Amino acid sequence: MDVVEEGLLDDQLPSLQRLGRLGQLGDMPTFIAELGRELLEPQPERLGIGSALAAQARDHAREREALGFAPREIVTEFLLLRRVLWRFVTARAADLGTDDVLLVERRLNDTVDRLVTECVVAYFDRATSELAHRAYHDQLTGLLHHQAFLGELEMEVERARRYGHGLALVFVDLDNFKAVNDTLGHPEGDRALQRFAAAFRGSLRVFDLAGRMGGDEFAAYLVEIDEETVPRLLDRIHDRIDELVDLGELPTGSSFSAGCATFPDEAPDVDGLFRLADSRLYEAKRARAA
């Protein structure tokens, strides 16, 4: 409890104020018990990479971050733990020799430093993973962005060429999407894009891949195809869009047009796939508007 009280004192850990008593304690009782064992009987493997205690320190950091703790607060919590335990040791210094006090201080510092390191590593692991995701994904829909999708498609075309299997590119555009933005507003337009993207991705097989090409245009590549693969996909998407309209999650009249091209039968490379799929997409849009 002393660690919590120290954290609440002078608002050193503002995020603690929002939690109940159990939430404030978190994993601190476990860390205190393990620190006590380490001070009495040091075991290098107790805090080694991949150890149970190291994993718990990382989990503690992730849980605290999920509760809104800033990285500084997570580290400060362990530094306060060191201060509280050191106060406990110094209160009993008279019963210890000078060498023993120095030994306990070194062990305490080394152990808390290791816990802090694990927390920092957990934070950077999460931040690095998030940055990597942002570098390849569209922020609104979570699909691959244009360049990332093109890169994946290039590699998939090369695999298809090497192993002699077919591949289809499906290019999709929402119908009359400008009217959604103009009449319902851009926030509702963004929600419509998110829901369509989720329906689009959810209609794919696990080994197919989708991306947002920009605006209200989306694309997917389908591998190991036959003549029914694309029609079945489009039927699934149409059915899902109709469901979302009926549920009121997409504006009334929401629909899409699509164009498709296949490798190697209809196009020899990625550029050819996009040109042909784009041409067929706009033929479909013109036919729908006629």
Side-chain angles (χ1 to χ4, degrees), residues 184 245 250-254:
L184 301 178
V245 171
L250 280 176
T252 301
S254 293

Side-chain angles (χ1 to χ4, degrees), residues 58-78:
R58 293 193 185 202
D59 289 343
H60 177 79
R62 295 187 187 101
E63 289 166 6
R64 287 311 207 200
E65 191 176 4
L67 289 169
F69 280 58
R72 178 191 61 80
E73 292 182 288
I74 298 170
V75 171
T76 298
E77 192 173 23
F78 281 100

Side-chain angles (χ1 to χ4, degrees), residues 193-261:
L193 288 171
Q194 290 170 328
R195 288 163 183 160
F196 178 83
F200 188 45
R201 177 172 48 200
S203 300
L204 297 174
R205 302 167 302 175
V206 294
F207 37 79
D208 301 326
L209 195 63
R212 183 185 180 196
M213 298 297 99
D216 60 347
E217 293 182 335
F218 299 84
Y221 68 69
L222 286 63
V223 299
E224 301 291 348
I225 58 170
D226 58 37
E227 61 183 14
E228 294 299 320
T229 303
V230 173
R232 283 195 297 264
L233 169 66
L234 297 179
D235 286 343
R236 289 195 297 271
I237 301 171
H238 278 298
D239 290 345
R240 183 56 182 153
I241 297 307
D242 289 344
E243 289 176 11
L244 293 174
V245 171
D246 290 342
L247 292 169
E249 295 184 15
L250 280 176
T252 301
S254 293
S255 62
F256 68 91
S257 299
C260 173

Side-chain angles (χ1 to χ4, degrees), residues 1-9 11-32 60 63-64 67 69 73-74 76-78 80-81:
M1 292 305 300
D2 288 348
V3 178
V4 172
E5 298 304 328
E6 290 267 349
L8 295 174
L9 184 66
D11 206 25
Q12 294 187 75
L13 295 175
S15 295
L16 280 179
Q17 300 280 1
R18 302 193 303 268
L19 304 179
R21 188 58 81 184
L22 284 177
Q24 289 174 340
L25 284 172
D27 293 313
M28 282 299 141
T30 299
F31 293 131
I32 290 170
H60 177 79
E63 289 166 6
R64 287 311 207 200
L67 289 169
F69 280 58
E73 292 182 288
I74 298 170
T76 298
E77 192 173 23
F78 281 100
L80 292 176
L81 173 61

Side-chain angles (χ1 to χ4, degrees), residues 275-288:
R275 282 196 301 271
L276 184 55
D278 185 54
S279 173
R280 289 174 173 171
L281 166 63
Y282 283 95
E283 287 174 10
K285 290 188 78 69
R286 284 193 294 270
R288 182 181 289 272

